[in-house]
Amino acid sequence: MIDFDVLTDLAFREGIERIGVGVVVRDDSGRVLMIRRAAHDVLPGLWEYPGGGREDGEPVPMGAARELTEETGLAGLQLEYVRTLDFTNQNGRRVRQFVFTAVVPESTAVTLSADHDAYQWASPDELPHTGDGQREVVAWLTGRLANPGWRPVGGYLTTIARPTTYGCLLVTDPAGRILGMRSTIDPTVWNMPGGNVEHGESPFDAALRETREELGLDLAAENPQVLRRRLVAAIHTQADADCPVPVAGYVFDGGTLTAEQQSRIRLDPAEHTEFRFETAHDWRSRMTPARYQRLRQVLRAHRSGVPLYLERPAPDGDDFEGVLVFVTDIAGRLLMHLRDDRPGMPWPGYWTPIGGWREGDESARESAVREVREEAGIEITGLRTLPGPHHDLGLPLTRVLHAVWNGPESDLQLGDEGQAVRMVPLDEVLNLNVPPYMHHYLPMLAAAADRPTGRNS
């Protein structure tokens, strides 16, 4: 739907003083309806297509339909918006005319108003005496209509998907935890500050306005870096049963809130009942899988420092945010990593295979190679994907891969994460403190290496 209120506000900001409307009526053979101003009217004898001034407060399309009916008696036509025409009227005022078009059968009856004394159906290239602007509009429209498949923008917009749009801010605390707010309407939903774009707003302006309303903080004033309008991610969400139209979302960097700023947060109880800062891992237990995936996508974009275009649902092959890499050697050992023991992270203090979150637009194999290099200091090749099911075993959004490495254990070098890395015989892995998913994958690795898996408990 065309927002003519926004278009008229823009016109006034550009120095336009009056809003006009006009209708280019065509018949089946492509001729244009032209009407002649009466002798007592302004500019007597001038031919024009129907039109006039919009009345105060009148919607632009309604004004076009009214003028058409008053001047020609034609009513109930389907009007399609075409373009604008700017001109200076006889009083020296700048006018922007919103031009529509419509088609009627040949020989359609026309009933003129008292301000016009004649009409004719004219060929577009043989118009009677008219203004240069109107001649330009008719020539432009005729040229466009000669292109197969072209439609006036007003009609074309009815044939394409028209998404709703939102803007929101990714806000963190000094520890890097992410701000979420619990919805009053649906307590299972946790939102970032932000909301839908209103008429005349940009997504960034909507994000700032909604944040003021939802948190009681003016981040544009309190965190000036927010005004840099750093786009973190653009997210296209396909229509589904809950939202029958597609949604285009823009996530901006909202900066960091100090403890003092957090103390001044005042939620609107009509929208949210509580707020909290959580690590990315801890948000998983509070969010639906779809919302958690969106959060992980946004955080990946934020880490990259480059805005990412994201889709929901994610395309095939792109529906992962982390990798888990089983690296075995020809002796039947598995590379294991002793994780740091810190709250707010997955499997603290456990022995796990190498793994981590996806960065930028990496493929699963690229993520796997990088993570093994960073956490164990070795290069792997020949990766293969291991099958699920793994989502019920603590690995949401994770792609699981396997590689065989033939280097000496002395090449292993612990990176800047974790406490240790070492090769562990497959039949001894379950003697360590390991996550439950190891019970699922060890038989696959043992079968590939023709080795026993050890105890099953």
Side-chain angles (χ1 to χ4, degrees):
M1 181 177 180
I2 299 173
D3 193 332
F4 287 100
D5 289 339
V6 170
L7 297 181
T8 53
D9 287 344
L10 174 63
F12 291 135
R13 290 199 301 271
E14 293 176 348
I16 296 297
E17 299 170 275
R18 283 183 59 84
I19 299 298
V21 292
V23 184
V24 179
V25 180
R26 301 143 29 227
D27 67 10
D28 292 335
S29 63
R31 297 179 302 171
V32 176
L33 175 62
M34 301 294 288
I35 55 180
R36 188 176 67 187
R37 293 194 176 194
H40 64 270
D41 197 12
V42 177
L43 303 176
L46 181 70
W47 290 84
E48 61 188 2
Y49 50 71
R54 182 193 67 160
E55 296 181 354
D56 290 343
E58 184 179 43
V60 169
M62 186 179 298
R66 175 186 52 75
E67 286 287 344
L68 178 62
T69 301
E70 290 176 356
E71 295 183 348
T72 67
L74 300 175
L77 300 185
Q78 181 178 349
L79 303 185
E80 292 185 327
Y81 172 64
V82 175
R83 56 167 286 179
T84 59
L85 168 65
D86 289 357
F87 61 92
T88 301
N89 66 12
Q90 62 274 15
N91 297 320
R93 305 183 70 182
R94 295 185 62 193
V95 179
R96 177 160 296 173
Q97 182 186 77
F98 288 87
V99 182
F100 296 77
T101 191
V103 178
V104 297
E106 290 189 48
S107 304
T108 294
V110 174
T111 303
L112 295 176
S113 69
D115 292 332
H116 297 87
D117 58 11
Y119 75 90
Q120 62 171 288
W121 293 93
S123 172
D125 55 1
E126 296 180 355
L127 296 179
H129 172 62
T130 187
D132 291 341
Q134 294 217 348
R135 192 178 299 277
E136 174 195 331
V137 168
V138 172
W140 179 91
L141 177 60
T142 303
R144 290 293 195 277
L145 290 168
N147 295 317
W150 185 85
R151 285 192 66 179
V153 63
Y156 171 71
L157 290 176
T158 66
T159 69
I160 61 175
R162 290 171 289 174
T164 61
T165 306
Y166 69 85
C168 64
L169 298 178
L170 175 62
V171 177
T172 60
D173 69 2
R177 298 179 302 174
I178 304 101
L179 172 63
M181 303 175 299
R182 187 193 289 270
S183 168
T184 299
I185 297 174
D186 185 350
T188 67
V189 171
W190 291 82
N191 296 313
M192 295 180 185
N196 289 332
V197 175
E198 296 184 352
H199 294 301
E201 275 187 328
S202 70
F204 181 75
D205 289 339
L208 288 182
R209 174 185 52 77
E210 288 281 351
T211 300
R212 286 194 300 270
E213 296 172 0
E214 294 173 347
L215 297 182
L217 298 177
D218 184 353
L219 292 190
E222 299 208 22
N223 291 357
Q225 68 269 25
V226 172
L227 291 178
R228 295 178 182 177
R229 291 173 167 79
R230 181 194 167 197
L231 178 66
V232 175
I235 307 174
H236 178 271
T237 303
Q238 192 54 272
D240 58 24
D242 294 326
C243 183
V245 297
V247 179
Y250 298 84
V251 183
F252 300 93
D253 190 343
T256 300
L257 291 187
T258 65
E260 188 276 332
Q261 288 173 315
Q262 295 174 42
S263 70
R264 290 189 283 108
I265 291 178
R266 297 294 182 268
L267 297 179
D268 178 356
E271 295 198 50
H272 299 100
T273 58
E274 66 172 301
F275 73 91
R276 62 192 313 128
F277 290 85
E278 297 283 8
T279 66
H281 173 70
D282 287 344
W283 272 124
R284 176 186 151 208
S285 64
R286 298 182 182 276
M287 290 183 169
T288 64
R291 285 185 174 268
Y292 182 65
Q293 181 179 27
R294 182 181 71 170
L295 175 64
R296 296 269 25 157
Q297 288 179 312
V298 168
L299 293 177
R300 169 161 57 93
H302 189 258
R303 289 193 307 272
S304 74
V306 177
L308 296 184
Y309 165 71
L310 307 169
E311 293 184 0
R312 297 178 59 212
D316 291 343
D318 198 47
D319 57 347
F320 76 99
E321 290 300 318
V323 292
L324 186 68
V325 194
F326 289 90
V327 180
T328 57
D329 63 11
I330 56 176
R333 298 180 301 174
L334 175 64
L335 177 60
M336 296 294 285
H337 181 225
L338 179 58
R339 297 180 62 80
D340 291 316
D341 192 358
R342 299 196 311 266
M345 63 179 297
W347 307 115
Y350 279 69
W351 285 90
T352 73
I354 300 296
W357 293 111
R358 180 185 185 185
E359 298 294 340
D361 58 359
E362 288 178 331
S363 68
R365 282 172 169 75
E366 290 169 338
S367 293
V369 169
R370 175 185 52 76
E371 285 289 341
V372 173
R373 181 190 307 119
E374 292 176 353
E375 296 185 9
I378 61 174
E379 297 292 331
I380 57 172
T381 59
L383 286 153
R384 67 185 181 102
T385 301
L386 294 182
H390 54 73
H391 292 292
D392 294 335
L393 295 171
L395 297 175
L397 309 177
T398 301
R399 191 67 51 82
V400 183
L401 302 102
H402 173 232
V404 176
W405 177 64
N406 294 323
E409 186 170 3
S410 60
D411 285 353
L412 296 179
Q413 296 181 6
L414 178 65
D416 57 5
E417 295 181 10
Q419 304 175 60
V421 287
R422 66 183 177 93
M423 303 299 298
V424 179
L426 288 176
D427 55 3
E428 296 179 13
V429 168
L430 295 182
N431 295 327
L432 303 175
N433 184 26
V434 296
Y437 60 73
M438 296 300 297
H439 293 270
H440 174 75
Y441 287 104
L442 279 176
M444 298 182 193
L445 301 175
D450 193 23
R451 302 279 296 182
T453 61
R455 61 186 176 84
N456 293 318
S457 59

